[in-house]
Amino acid sequence: MTAEEALAIVEQVLEQGHLNKVQATVFKRAWEGWSYSEIARESGYDPGYIKDTGAKLWQLLSDALGERVTKFNFQAVIKRSLTQRQRLESELENNTPVAVSVAPASLPTQDWGEAIDVSIFYGRSAELSTLKQWIQQDRCRLVTLLGMGGIGKTALSVKLGEQLQGEFEFLIWRSLRDAPPLPELLTTLIKFLSHQQNDNLPESLGGQLSRLLELLRASRCLLILDNFETILQGGKRTGSYRSGYESYGDLLKRIGEISHQSCLVITSREKPQEVGALEGDLLPVRTLPLLGLEAIAGHEILLAKGLSGSTTDQDKLIEHYRGNPLALKIAATSIQDLFAGDIATFLDQGTVTFNGISTLLSQQFERLSEIEAQVMYWLAINREPVAAAELQTDMLPEIPRPRLMETLESLKWRCLIDTAKPTASESRPLGFTQQPVVMEYVTEKLIEQVCEEIVTVSPRLLLSHALMKAQAKEYIRESQIRVIVQSVTERSLTVLGGASQVEQKLNQLLIQLQNQSPGFIGYGAGNLLNLFRQLETNLVNYDFSGLKVRQAYLQDVNLHQVNFAQAEFIDCAFAATFGGITSVTFNSNGQLLATSDTNGDIHIWRAADGKQLAACKGHNSWVWAVVFNHDSRILVSAGQDHTVRLWDVETGQCLKTLHGHSSIVTAIALAPSSSFPD
């Protein structure tokens, strides 16, 4: 069918007769696949005027044809309308009796509710291709579009419906934004799918669900439910329902388990539990996690918002938001308003979460359970992918591994964390982390909460989370100090008015810790020491006796006359004072390092992170040589004091002293399988 033929058909069904010149031009060019911008360039009209003319044209056709018409479906609608007209004319010519009542085929078979306009749509070709295969070829019964807020789930669901509408006898799109009770929704669906014939609508919920399944078997229907997360309960494990909405789980379960020829598509920020139980790559229930847009689509969004800048700067901006289209649009508006459209200046100011983006993330963070929030804070503190085993060690009190894995899965279902798989050449385990914009938001929330705890002297996160990890890799530790510890200190100084006021609050917190029960384990003492270090506080006569000190970085801190009596140090870093180093040796597998010095001391270190494992003291003068035995259980040393000593590598205890030399011992050699007398 040509554009001219299609236009002639349209003008026959329109009550007012012909379209005006501009409407006719838009119709014909759209039929030929032209974009609004191309039509505007050819016609000489403003693009906004052409787009507005198109919107009015589609509404005009919607009213005339009795179903929603858009730029993307009008060809299919007109062709279907022509087929119906030809069939009716054929029946009349053959004197076939025509029913007086309105035939069901003439009633609307599509109901788009409050579906958004997707005439401008970016990317997602791969996702659309996958969804079409699942629905058309694999005949999936239940499909979930899962993604964080603003990622484009709603737009994709509408675009999917527009592209698949010709495959279905009925299509209905509904938003659950206002959380309608299930009976109300079922009434709407059943009435629509039965052409408003609801005289026999069952009274019981189970009967209504059964009636819906009958209709889904009788006709091929596409149901799309947007914003499914609004009926899910925040503060609990992902996928739990709000009180009074549990029956939605029955709806998903029946549609997913029972055979029929239709498809339900839901969009959600969180995965319902029924979907998690029923889904599978080869099953009729599947989930498509939505990631950010590809770079080219991100560039199109920035261009549409009027932003310019180097490709490198645009790529950085898109990466900051992982291609989240709503976040990009919000950021672009702020860049226009605050930075005159200069992306580079915006990136230089160092923060990417504000205004609408913070609101977007806050909505999801507020739905977390307590343990989910704890894990989110730890992922932000770690600053890079971290294995589940390390997370479990970080968290105090420690939680069982199954519960931690359940929590990580729940956060994945909320689309708030990412997994970082090791490459084939790496031996590290699977790591968990956050998108940059999420990490920045959670870090800011951590800083804000800790500052409030300092001001009000009411520690919570100060006890349960380390603001920095003394044993972390150097670049990670420096980032933790700069981003978290320094920010907490500077903000506290601003709020309280000066260093002496902040120190006063920290001293009050220290007194609180000393009054805690002796068995209390937490990060409080270590955090206070790290904050005192940042303030450059003179710690002379400070009392940390009896406390458990975790993750304190003290290598450059003067601890003279600080009371650490009966304190326990866990994962801390101290300054190491040596005499002149006289020898260095590794064990056979390179994991241990031993050093000796002119003070007569020997130190054993873990080579991977430089942590001191043991100190061996007994020589009274220079130690000239050290060597590990074959199984690294014993270290042998030779000294200026005419002795050879054997040390327990694990404890640093002297096992035996060999006398008999009349002069300095300067070298040692061991047989490959040396054994030593008891």
Side-chain angles (χ1 to χ4, degrees):
M1 184 185 302
T2 66
E4 294 289 349
E5 291 170 338
L7 180 59
I9 293 171
V10 166
E11 291 181 333
Q12 289 177 20
V13 300
L14 292 177
E15 293 181 1
Q16 86 278 15
H18 298 281
L19 299 175
N20 64 41
K21 181 179 178 181
V22 179
Q23 289 174 327
T25 298
V26 170
F27 180 90
K28 288 190 291 185
R29 292 311 188 197
W31 185 275
E32 295 167 352
W34 289 35
S35 68
Y36 285 139
S37 58
E38 290 173 329
I39 298 171
R41 280 197 297 270
E42 184 207 43
S43 64
Y45 288 105
D46 179 76
Y49 175 68
I50 292 296
K51 182 179 178 182
D52 184 58
T53 298
K56 292 177 180 177
L57 172 61
W58 311 134
Q59 184 59 52
L60 194 65
L61 292 174
S62 298
D63 295 339
L65 296 173
E67 60 180 291
R68 185 172 186 261
V69 178
T70 72
K71 182 176 184 291
F72 298 93
N73 76 343
F74 77 104
Q75 289 188 352
V77 174
I78 291 170
K79 289 176 181 178
R80 185 167 59 249
S81 175
L82 176 61
T83 301
Q84 292 172 358
R85 287 166 59 88
Q86 290 172 340
R87 184 171 62 247
L88 180 60
E89 291 172 357
S90 176
E91 291 173 347
L92 291 172
E93 288 177 1
N94 296 326
N95 295 319
T96 304
V98 180
V100 176
S101 60
V102 179
S106 67
L107 291 172
T109 58
Q110 297 183 11
D111 184 347
W112 289 90
E114 297 180 353
I116 63 173
D117 178 17
V118 291
S119 55
I120 298 178
F121 187 80
Y122 301 99
R124 300 296 189 200
S125 57
E127 291 89 341
L128 283 167
S129 177
T130 296
L131 291 168
K132 287 180 187 178
Q133 178 181 325
W134 288 359
I135 296 171
Q136 292 175 303
Q137 300 176 28
D138 301 345
R139 308 293 278 194
C140 286
R141 298 191 286 260
L142 175 59
V143 173
T144 301
L145 304 183
L146 187 67
M148 68 180 300
I151 204 68
K153 303 181 295 297
T154 298
L156 180 59
S157 74
V158 176
K159 178 61 67 175
L160 177 68
E162 288 186 348
Q163 295 191 2
L164 287 181
Q165 58 189 331
E167 303 288 327
F168 292 88
E169 298 170 64
F170 294 91
L171 184 152
I172 184 168
W173 190 99
R174 281 292 182 271
S175 172
L176 302 184
R177 186 183 299 108
D178 297 327
L182 183 60
E184 179 183 319
L185 176 66
L186 288 176
T187 299
T188 300
L189 296 178
I190 292 171
K191 287 174 63 178
F192 177 74
L193 299 178
S194 63
H195 297 294
Q196 311 301 317
Q197 298 172 10
N198 63 332
D199 294 339
N200 299 322
L201 188 66
E203 294 184 3
S204 69
L205 182 61
Q208 292 173 11
L209 286 170
S210 297
R211 176 62 176 145
L212 176 63
L213 263 296
E214 291 175 7
L215 295 168
L216 297 181
R217 288 194 190 100
S219 303
R220 182 142 166 80
C221 313
L222 178 60
L223 314 179
I224 303 176
L225 300 180
D226 190 38
N227 300 119
F228 200 86
E229 72 277 353
T230 58
I231 62 171
L232 299 177
Q233 178 64 56
K236 294 184 178 179
R237 189 179 186 273
T238 309
S240 302
Y241 291 90
R242 290 167 54 182
S243 177
Y245 290 87
E246 297 84 356
S247 53
Y248 270 92
D250 295 332
L251 171 67
L252 298 185
K253 197 167 185 294
R254 291 204 189 193
I255 287 181
E257 288 183 335
I258 298 175
S259 179
H260 56 82
Q261 62 172 325
S262 300
C263 180
L264 169 62
V265 176
I266 66 172
T267 77
S268 183
R269 298 182 185 184
E270 305 171 14
K271 185 187 295 185
Q273 292 183 5
E274 292 77 14
V275 172
L278 295 173
E279 68 184 348
D281 291 344
L282 301 178
L283 298 176
V285 178
R286 299 183 191 173
T287 297
L288 181 66
L290 284 191
L291 304 177
L293 294 172
E294 59 272 21
I296 188 169
H299 286 292
E300 289 176 359
I301 289 177
L302 299 180
L303 180 63
K305 295 290 286 187
L307 286 189
S308 60
S310 70
T311 301
T312 300
D313 287 339
Q314 291 189 38
D315 286 341
K316 287 180 181 179
L317 184 65
I318 294 167
E319 176 59 23
H320 268 307
Y321 298 107
R322 286 291 198 268
N324 184 304
L326 180 58
L328 279 174
K329 291 174 184 176
I330 293 171
T333 299
S334 296
I335 293 170
Q336 289 282 33
D337 293 344
L338 302 177
F339 301 94
D342 191 331
I343 298 174
T345 304
F346 168 76
L347 293 172
D348 288 343
Q349 54 86 42
T351 181
V352 292
T353 57
F354 54 90
N355 295 343
I357 300 170
S358 292
T359 302
L360 193 68
L361 293 171
S362 178
Q363 292 171 355
Q364 289 194 252
F365 197 88
E366 289 171 0
R367 296 178 63 87
L368 301 184
S369 66
E370 183 176 348
I371 189 172
E372 287 173 333
Q374 289 181 33
V375 171
M376 289 295 285
Y377 283 129
W378 273 116
L379 291 175
I381 291 166
N382 278 288
R383 316 302 294 172
E384 68 175 359
V386 57
E390 185 175 346
L391 272 176
Q392 187 180 18
T393 302
D394 285 339
M395 297 182 71
L396 297 177
E398 186 173 312
I399 65 173
R401 177 64 67 87
R403 190 179 181 200
L404 175 60
M405 297 310 297
E406 179 183 281
T407 302
L408 289 168
E409 180 183 48
S410 182
L411 289 170
K412 280 284 289 181
W413 284 13
R414 293 186 191 276
C415 305
L416 285 174
I417 65 173
D418 291 337
T419 52
K421 296 181 180 179
T423 63
S425 61
E426 294 177 318
S427 59
R428 62 181 176 84
L430 180 73
F432 299 90
T433 189
Q434 299 161 333
Q435 296 181 18
V437 68
V438 175
M439 183 177 291
E440 182 170 320
Y441 170 81
V442 177
T443 302
E444 175 61 26
K445 194 170 182 66
L446 171 69
I447 293 168
E448 181 181 331
Q449 179 63 33
V450 169
C451 286
E452 182 178 345
E453 292 178 10
I454 292 173
V455 172
T456 60
V457 195
S458 52
R460 189 175 64 84
L461 290 180
L462 270 169
L463 305 182
S464 61
H465 291 72
L467 301 183
M468 59 162 287
K469 298 175 71 173
Q471 296 294 334
K473 299 172 186 175
E474 184 176 1
Y475 71 92
I476 294 295
R477 184 178 65 248
E478 290 177 352
S479 175
Q480 291 166 341
I481 293 173
R482 181 180 65 258
V483 175
I484 302 175
V485 179
Q486 183 176 330
S487 296
V488 168
T489 304
E490 291 175 350
R491 198 165 303 183
S492 299
L493 288 168
T494 300
V495 173
L496 293 172
S500 60
Q501 289 87 343
V502 176
E503 289 176 356
Q504 182 181 0
K505 295 290 185 180
L506 297 181
N507 287 330
Q508 292 175 23
L509 288 166
L510 178 57
I511 294 172
Q512 275 197 26
L513 289 182
Q514 290 170 327
N515 292 332
Q516 294 276 5
S517 59
F520 177 77
I521 301 176
Y523 291 95
N527 282 332
L528 291 182
L529 278 166
N530 290 327
L531 290 169
F532 280 131
R533 171 184 176 273
Q534 192 66 36
L535 287 166
E536 300 182 353
T537 300
N538 184 352
L539 295 177
V540 171
N541 296 324
Y542 267 70
D543 184 5
F544 286 85
S545 60
L547 295 177
K548 294 182 184 293
V549 182
R550 287 180 177 268
Q551 298 291 1
Y553 186 73
L554 304 170
Q555 288 195 357
D556 53 2
V557 178
N558 183 358
L559 300 176
H560 182 61
Q561 294 184 356
V562 179
N563 184 0
F564 286 118
Q566 299 182 348
E568 181 179 353
F569 294 94
I570 306 168
D571 295 327
C572 296
F574 294 91
T577 303
F578 303 101
I581 301 298
T582 55
S583 66
V584 176
T585 187
F586 285 94
N587 72 336
S588 58
N589 61 17
Q591 294 182 358
L592 300 178
L593 170 69
T595 63
S596 61
D597 62 31
T598 56
N599 292 330
D601 295 331
I602 300 166
H603 299 273
I604 302 173
W605 314 83
R606 186 165 59 207
D609 57 9
K611 180 178 180 180
Q612 181 174 309
L613 302 178
C616 309
K617 297 182 180 293
H619 287 285
N620 59 21
S621 186
W622 291 25
V623 178
W624 286 104
V626 286
V627 63
F628 289 97
N629 78 323
H630 69 284
D631 60 7
S632 302
R633 295 174 59 190
I634 294 174
L635 182 74
V636 184
S637 62
Q640 182 92 3
D641 57 4
H642 302 186
T643 66
V644 173
R645 296 177 184 265
L646 281 60
W647 308 91
D648 185 313
V649 169
E650 185 174 346
T651 66
Q653 179 183 359
C654 183
L655 302 175
K656 188 177 291 292
T657 301
L658 305 180
H659 298 279
H661 291 276
S662 58
S663 186
I664 303 169
V665 183
T666 58
I668 303 171
L670 299 180
S673 58
S674 301
S675 59
F676 296 94
D678 295 332

